[in-house]
Amino acid sequence: MKTKNKKNIVWHIIFILIIIISLYPIIFSISNSFKPLKDAYHTILDIIPKKITLENYKYLFESLPIFKITFNTFIAATAITLIKLFISFFASYAIVYGTFKGKRLLYFIFIGTMFVPFTVTMIPNYLIISKLGLIDKIWGIILPQLADAMGIFLLTQTMRSIPKSLIEVAKLDNLNDRTIMRGIVFPLSKHAVYSTGIWFFITAWNEYVWPVLVLKTTENYTLPLALQNFISSEGGTNFSVAMAVSVIAMILPLALYLVFQKYIIGTFVSAGVK
């Protein structure tokens, strides 16, 4: 019994250390965003600022159209998430419950695209977006990201766990595919849909490489590009203001997680039970 208690204490200590390591970057960003630049460099690891100031946020709002940049990021991430989910859900339904020939081969082709490096598709995508006249426009960063093989894979695995007898009975009752998806498949897979959607949103929200290639004007920037605006490899980095941008960038994803955390936890629980 004592041995078991000692093991539990060890595991609790390990979990607490993991939580501290996970939370420290967030606390670090928040703390340094309220420090004067001089204090930030001298007391960079101190969690509690010696002198709290709002000058970093004031400078940020004066130097950049941060509301417009945040709005750009939100529109891009939301559009990418919703359309990706729509395509992934319908494609997964067709792969699992469709009766057309070659669906297995098509599924493996989809999955195979996951292993194609971004650098391979970067130049063709850029040329297409350029020909469409979408350089320096928000749709220029949205269009190349509207389909995702990972989303199809995740939702396909979830739908395969739904008893096919339910779908067969529904079809015997002359229910069409739209009604089946809305009334049976979606309610039984909504935890996975919401979790996948949050993953899509956070990935799109934090995307840097593709937007930096497409967006040229400050007013069209997204938040990761705004953060880079205060970081220079040649010196002159305004560290405190960069942390202020980081805080603004993390607010919405954290709020989204708090709202949908029960669905995320439910996904892991159901996966563990299966």
Side-chain angles (χ1 to χ4, degrees), residues 213-248:
L213 293 174
V214 175
L215 302 178
K216 310 298 181 183
T217 308
T218 304
E219 288 188 353
N220 295 328
Y221 275 5
T222 56
L223 283 169
L225 272 65
L227 177 61
Q228 183 62 35
N229 207 54
F230 298 101
I231 299 175
S232 172
S233 59
E234 299 175 358
T237 297
N238 198 328
F239 177 74
S240 297
V241 179
M243 291 299 98
V245 179
S246 298
V247 171
I248 293 173

Side-chain angles (χ1 to χ4, degrees), residues 108-147:
F108 282 115
I109 291 174
F110 283 150
I111 299 305
T113 61
M114 292 167 53
F115 302 98
V116 178
F118 171 72
T119 50
V120 174
T121 60
M122 180 174 63
I123 295 176
N125 279 337
Y126 185 86
L127 293 175
I128 292 170
I129 292 301
S130 179
K131 289 290 184 182
L132 292 174
L134 295 177
I135 296 296
D136 200 26
K137 294 182 181 178
I138 200 71
W139 279 102
I141 64 173
I142 293 174
L143 285 181
Q145 303 183 65
L146 293 186

Side-chain angles (χ1 to χ4, degrees), residues 8-22:
N8 288 336
I9 291 171
V10 171
W11 279 112
H12 277 83
I13 292 172
I14 292 172
F15 289 143
I16 290 170
L17 289 174
I18 292 172
I19 291 170
I20 292 171
I21 293 170
S22 300

Side-chain angles (χ1 to χ4, degrees), residues 151-179:
I152 295 172
F153 172 75
L154 293 173
L155 295 184
T156 296
Q157 296 304 110
T158 300
M159 289 184 189
R160 280 176 176 166
S161 67
I162 299 173
K164 287 192 175 182
S165 57
L166 290 175
I167 310 301
E168 292 170 357
V169 169
K171 289 185 176 180
L172 288 174
D173 288 339
N174 294 321
L175 295 180
N176 57 35
D177 288 321
R178 184 174 62 181
T179 303

Side-chain angles (χ1 to χ4, degrees), residues 31-222:
S31 173
N32 283 284
S33 72
F34 289 104
K35 293 178 183 178
L37 183 60
K38 183 179 178 181
D39 289 353
Y41 280 118
H42 290 292
T43 61
I44 191 170
L45 297 179
D46 291 353
I47 294 176
I48 301 175
K50 292 181 178 179
K51 180 183 178 182
I52 296 177
T53 179
L54 296 175
E55 288 300 317
N56 299 317
Y57 290 93
K58 183 180 177 182
Y59 178 79
L60 173 61
F61 282 89
E62 289 175 350
S63 59
L64 286 178
I66 197 66
F67 286 114
K68 179 68 165 57
I69 291 172
T70 304
F71 181 73
N72 293 340
T73 313
F74 177 77
I75 290 297
T78 302
I80 290 169
T81 299
L82 293 178
I83 299 174
K84 263 188 180 181
L85 274 180
F86 182 86
I87 293 173
S88 297
F89 186 82
F90 276 74
S92 299
Y93 180 86
I95 289 168
V96 176
Y97 303 111
T99 56
F100 59 92
K101 291 183 179 180
K103 69 173 185 177
R104 185 178 178 85
L105 175 62
L106 186 62
Y107 175 68
F108 282 115
I109 291 174
F110 283 150
I111 299 305
T113 61
M114 292 167 53
F115 302 98
V116 178
F118 171 72
T119 50
V120 174
T121 60
M122 180 174 63
I123 295 176
N125 279 337
Y126 185 86
L127 293 175
I128 292 170
I129 292 301
S130 179
K131 289 290 184 182
L132 292 174
L134 295 177
I135 296 296
D136 200 26
K137 294 182 181 178
I138 200 71
W139 279 102
I141 64 173
I142 293 174
L143 285 181
Q145 303 183 65
L146 293 186
D148 191 279
M150 179 60 75
I152 295 172
F153 172 75
L154 293 173
L155 295 184
T156 296
Q157 296 304 110
T158 300
M159 289 184 189
R160 280 176 176 166
S161 67
I162 299 173
K164 287 192 175 182
S165 57
L166 290 175
I167 310 301
E168 292 170 357
V169 169
K171 289 185 176 180
L172 288 174
D173 288 339
N174 294 321
L175 295 180
N176 57 35
D177 288 321
R178 184 174 62 181
T179 303
I180 292 172
M181 282 189 285
R182 185 178 65 247
I184 299 175
V185 177
F186 178 73
L188 292 175
S189 60
K190 66 180 180 180
H191 288 85
V193 171
Y194 290 149
S195 298
T196 304
I198 291 170
W199 176 60
F200 284 162
F201 186 89
I202 292 174
T203 302
W205 183 271
N206 295 327
E207 180 65 36
Y208 173 77
V209 177
W210 181 245
V212 81
L213 293 174
V214 175
L215 302 178
K216 310 298 181 183
T217 308
T218 304
E219 288 188 353
N220 295 328
Y221 275 5
T222 56

